[in-house]
Amino acid sequence: MSFPSVSVIIPVKNEALKIKACIDGILQQSVPVHEIIVIDSGSTDDTVAILKTYQKVTLMEISSTEFNHGETRNLGVQKASGDFVLLTVGDARPYNKSWIEEMLKGFTDEEVAAVCGQQVVPHEMDKNPIEWFRPISEPELTRYQYKIAGSFESLSPIDKKKVCGWDDVTAMYRRDVLISLPYRKTSYAEDLLWCRDALIKGHAVVYNYAARVYHYHSESPEFMYKRTFTVLFYQYIAFQYIPSRFVLSVRRRISIVKHLLLNGEINLKGKIYWMRYNFNNQKSLKKAVKDFIYWQTLGDLELEEKHRELCGQAPIPLK
């Protein structure tokens, strides 16, 4: 049986605890991969040693000072030889053996430049139970394309944000498109910016949420605050999107409490821990939205300076 030629590209740093599950999951796919290109940016743990045990892995090593979310991925694309390029990260792992197969299903016609999947959270005790994946329906392919010049730009900010909910933790591209339309140099939101650029140029993109990976970060209140602020900043820069004030409604509070109390897999100590975790992070999210709106009203220069002060470097999640 012949398969499309797929190159997988993974930027990593200090992922010794999770990189094996990532690589093993890729090698067990129903569609075999042509190559796995891993770009390590200065790991100090056993990540590099683990990667060198895999014959299928081509390892590229750069210094941590050379890394940025856009250009580092471009290095892997330039090295790749597959017709399709699949991007993920070292602490993600395929949801099942059909991950790549589901990605390829999204290329329904020659004008589809890329396909995006979905991150989900496994039912594991060290992961936030409120975020555990609980599918309620079968996903369907969603295709977006704006061929007429200016038609994407004419969308409302909220519609631009909706169609550019891109996620390169689980995304596949035609390599020739990614060569001609590379990622921007940026500390964050490289996927969002790429999707906008692709749609402006008239390419089609497809979302197939059946192409899933397990991926999770534990988020401290500080991380939640910085991540929310920087996401809002880039959404504003890209789409002129300004959020409404965030309100943690009584209904939402009751839902969190009820969900945790009724979860029979978690003991009392765990229920209390996750209740505090969720409420503290919701407070940080609310503050980040409020602060972003305040600084945006002061003008773009003031907002940019505040973002540089808070998030000049992309926020780093807890391991």
Side-chain angles (χ1 to χ4, degrees):
M1 183 181 297
S2 62
F3 293 97
S5 178
V6 177
S7 299
V8 183
I9 297 171
I10 313 172
V12 301
K13 183 177 181 181
N14 292 334
E15 293 294 355
L17 296 178
K18 297 182 179 179
I19 192 62
K20 191 175 187 303
C22 175
I23 302 296
D24 288 347
I26 292 168
L27 295 176
Q28 293 166 7
Q29 289 295 295
S30 60
V31 175
V33 297
H34 172 63
E35 61 189 347
I36 302 172
I37 299 170
V38 182
I39 309 147
D40 184 88
S41 54
S43 287
T44 55
D45 61 6
D46 292 332
T47 299
V48 169
I50 293 169
L51 290 168
K52 287 181 177 179
T53 66
Y54 290 94
Q55 291 185 341
K56 204 80 172 183
V57 170
T58 298
L59 179 64
M60 301 176 67
E61 296 184 71
I62 63 174
S63 71
S64 58
T65 57
E66 295 178 74
F67 176 85
N68 74 77
H69 282 284
E71 289 180 326
T72 297
R73 286 172 168 83
N74 290 341
L75 290 175
V77 175
Q78 292 158 12
K79 180 78 172 177
S81 57
D83 295 326
F84 295 91
V85 171
L86 176 59
L87 294 186
T88 188
V89 292
D91 60 343
R93 69 182 193 271
Y95 175 79
N96 56 26
K97 294 183 180 181
S98 302
W99 175 45
I100 295 177
E101 185 178 338
E102 292 292 348
M103 281 289 184
L104 290 166
K105 287 179 182 178
F107 290 93
T108 54
D109 57 79
E110 292 299 317
E111 294 189 337
V112 176
V115 177
C116 182
Q118 179 186 32
Q119 294 186 44
V120 298
V121 177
H123 291 225
E124 296 172 359
M125 292 301 109
D126 62 339
K127 313 293 190 295
N128 182 6
I130 299 300
E131 299 179 35
W132 285 358
F133 181 52
R134 301 173 180 88
I136 58 175
S137 63
E138 288 297 319
E140 298 180 355
L141 299 182
T142 304
R143 184 183 186 277
Y144 295 106
Q145 187 175 25
Y146 303 90
K147 288 187 176 182
I148 301 172
S151 57
F152 174 81
E153 290 93 328
S154 68
L155 295 175
S156 68
I158 194 166
D159 283 338
K160 290 178 184 176
K161 173 178 171 288
K162 175 185 175 182
V163 302
C164 291
W166 205 251
D167 183 358
D168 60 18
V169 169
T170 172
M172 183 181 282
Y173 309 73
R174 296 187 192 273
R175 181 178 175 274
D176 58 348
V177 174
L178 210 45
I179 288 291
S180 63
L181 185 66
Y183 277 110
R184 294 168 178 258
K185 179 180 181 180
T186 180
S187 64
Y188 205 72
E190 75 290 341
D191 39 12
L192 172 158
L193 295 170
W194 182 88
C195 186
R196 182 197 66 171
D197 291 345
L199 290 171
I200 287 173
K201 287 187 174 293
H203 293 294
V205 300
V206 168
Y207 292 87
N208 181 11
Y209 289 158
R212 298 172 177 132
V213 295
Y214 284 124
H215 187 238
Y216 176 84
H217 286 150
S218 182
E219 301 183 346
S220 67
E222 180 185 12
F223 174 82
M224 171 64 80
Y225 178 88
K226 289 185 176 182
R227 181 174 67 82
T228 301
F229 197 99
T230 202
V231 166
L232 291 173
F233 174 80
Y234 281 106
Q235 288 176 346
Y236 175 71
I237 295 300
F239 313 129
Q240 296 76 54
Y241 173 75
I242 302 172
S244 302
R245 290 189 180 274
F246 175 80
V247 177
L248 181 57
S249 66
V250 173
R251 176 178 293 183
R252 177 58 179 163
R253 289 174 181 272
I254 292 173
S255 175
I256 290 173
V257 172
K258 182 179 177 181
H259 193 91
L260 290 170
L261 290 179
L262 294 179
N263 191 321
E265 300 177 57
I266 309 170
N267 60 28
L268 179 59
K269 183 178 179 181
K271 295 177 195 294
I272 294 171
Y273 171 83
W274 288 115
M275 211 170 293
R276 288 174 175 167
Y277 175 95
N278 280 281
F279 285 138
N280 286 338
N281 280 354
Q282 292 289 305
K283 289 177 183 177
S284 289
L285 189 156
K286 179 179 179 180
K287 186 176 188 312
V289 173
K290 179 181 177 182
D291 289 355
F292 173 84
I293 293 171
Y294 169 77
W295 286 100
Q296 187 276 326
T297 60
L298 296 182
D300 289 358
L301 290 177
E302 287 78 3
L303 176 63
E304 185 174 348
E305 181 59 34
K306 190 62 179 178
H307 177 260
R308 188 180 299 111
E309 175 190 329
L310 291 173
C311 312
Q313 187 174 3
I316 300 172
L318 301 173
K319 291 292 184 182

